[in-house]
């Protein structure tokens, strides 16, 4: 067993570095992203069109691909952080929110409607001087 660990020391070093980068990145980016959400975003029954629709189709496609790749990267990092140091569940959630898939908005609404989640999000938003999110009761 120790022999196997010694053979893969470089891999574990890189996994630790990726875990650290993802951890620090999520701590820095999460408050900023939560502040970008309009306070009435979750009051609508369907998601409003994104501002990306107004962009050139090639730019829109590149941005969508980049966003989804970042989401996949965060999901992979989150899975690793379940076993390595870091905020695995938070990073997984951020990755899932970045990906595009059917039913995502309804899932987001259900998660944010949970009182503990909403309280945590609004606490972070208050630290950044943003109004609390409103959800249907």
């Amino acid at each position: 067993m120790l022999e196997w660990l010694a053979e893969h020391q470089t891999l574990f070093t890189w996994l630790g570095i990726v875990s650290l980068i993802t951890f620090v990145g999520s701590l820095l980016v999460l408050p900023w992203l939560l502040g970008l959400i309009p306070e009435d975003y979750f009051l609508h029954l369907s998601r409003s069109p994104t501002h990306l629709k107004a962009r050139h189709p090639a730019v829109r496609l590149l941005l969508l691909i980049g966003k989804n790749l970042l989401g996949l990267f965060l999901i992979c990092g989150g899975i690793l952080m379940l076993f390595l140091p870091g905020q695995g569940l938070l990073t997984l959630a951020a990755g899932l929110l970045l990906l595009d898939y059917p039913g995502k908005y309804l899932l987001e609404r259900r998660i944010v409607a949970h009182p503990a989640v909403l309280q945590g999000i609004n606490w972070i938003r208050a630290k950044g001087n943003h109004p609390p999110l409103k959800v249907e009761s």
Side-chain angles (χ1 to χ4, degrees):
M1 180 69 174
L2 291 176
E3 211 174 279
W4 183 83
L5 290 173
E7 290 175 12
H8 293 57
Q9 184 175 0
T10 305
L11 173 66
F12 287 114
T13 301
W14 278 106
L15 287 175
I17 290 170
V18 168
S19 176
L20 180 65
I21 290 170
T22 308
F23 172 71
V24 172
S26 67
L27 288 177
L28 296 175
V29 173
L30 187 66
W32 175 71
L33 288 175
L34 289 176
L36 292 177
I37 301 172
E39 63 184 293
D40 64 344
Y41 180 77
F42 294 106
L43 291 178
H44 309 289
L45 292 178
S46 62
R47 188 169 177 222
S48 56
T50 178
H51 66 279
L52 287 177
K53 297 231 184 230
R55 294 187 184 247
H56 188 279
V59 173
R60 180 174 174 233
L61 180 64
L62 286 174
L63 289 173
L64 284 173
I65 290 171
K67 181 176 76 86
N68 283 290
L69 285 175
L70 178 60
L72 285 173
F73 175 76
L74 288 176
I75 287 173
C76 291
I79 291 170
L80 290 174
M81 279 188 263
L82 292 174
F83 306 102
L84 299 170
Q87 298 177 333
L89 292 176
L90 182 61
T91 306
L92 274 169
L96 285 172
L97 292 176
L98 281 173
L99 288 177
D100 290 318
Y101 51 90
K104 178 177 128 180
Y105 180 71
L106 295 175
L107 177 64
E108 289 172 348
R109 284 185 59 181
R110 285 187 60 174
I111 292 171
V112 171
H114 192 276
V117 173
L118 183 61
Q119 182 181 4
I121 289 173
N122 284 335
W123 180 79
I124 293 172
R125 286 176 60 88
K127 295 288 183 190
N129 295 322
H130 299 286
L133 290 178
K134 298 175 186 170
V135 296
E136 289 182 3
S137 306

